[in-house]
Amino acid sequence: MIKVHFVRPGGASTISLECKTGQSLMEAGVSANVEGIEADCGGLMTCATCHVYVREPFASLLPPPSQDELAMLEFTAAERRPNSRLSCQIDLGKVLDGLTVDLPDSQH
Ligand code: FES
C-alpha cells in the first residue's frame, strides 16, 4: 500500500488515500470517488478528463508521456502546464509513495 494525495483546486484541502500498487492513479481516484477525476473513457486515453498536475519530486520520477498521452493533453479542459499528466497513465508503484497531484479547476 502507498499513500497518494489529491489537492483540490486552489489548494484548499487534500484528499489522501491509501491504495494498492499495480493500478493507475485514475483507478485509485475513481474507486475512492475523488471529485475531479472524471475518467469518462475508463482509461482508454481518449477523454483527458483524468488530467492532474503532478508535484515534484514525483513528476521527475514518472516515465515521460507517450506520444498518445501528449496528444490527448492538448484537449484538457483546464490550462495545460509542464507538469500536466493523465492520471490513467500513471502506474502506482512503491516509488510513488507520497505522490501528490493538484486537481484542475475543471475536466469538462
Ligand atoms: S481516463 Fe480518459 S484519458 Fe485518462
Side-chain angles (χ1 to χ4, degrees):
M1 300 288 272
I2 62 169
K3 274 200 165 185
V4 299
H5 310 281
F6 294 89
V7 181
R8 291 192 173 97
S13 59
T14 301
I15 305 152
S16 296
L17 307 177
E18 294 236 359
C19 40
K20 288 184 193 150
T21 55
Q23 62 180 333
S24 72
L25 178 63
M26 176 278 280
E27 289 169 329
V30 167
S31 302
N33 293 315
V34 172
E35 192 179 337
I37 300 294
E38 305 296 333
D40 292 347
C41 77
L44 297 176
M45 220 178 1
T46 58
C47 74
T49 64
C50 62
H51 177 208
V52 293
Y53 304 111
V54 182
R55 290 193 182 183
E56 291 294 357
F58 301 99
S60 298
L61 294 175
L62 298 177
S66 65
Q67 288 303 313
D68 288 342
E69 182 178 354
L70 286 172
M72 277 316 299
L73 283 167
E74 297 289 328
F75 296 97
T76 58
E79 169 197 12
R80 181 180 177 183
R81 300 177 190 161
N83 62 339
S84 286
R85 297 297 298 259
L86 298 178
S87 60
C88 67
Q89 301 304 302
I90 298 176
D91 292 324
L92 295 179
K94 283 197 167 160
V95 70
L96 295 181
D97 191 14
L99 173 65
T100 304
V101 301
D102 291 276
L103 293 163
D105 289 337
S106 170
Q107 297 284 19
H108 291 283

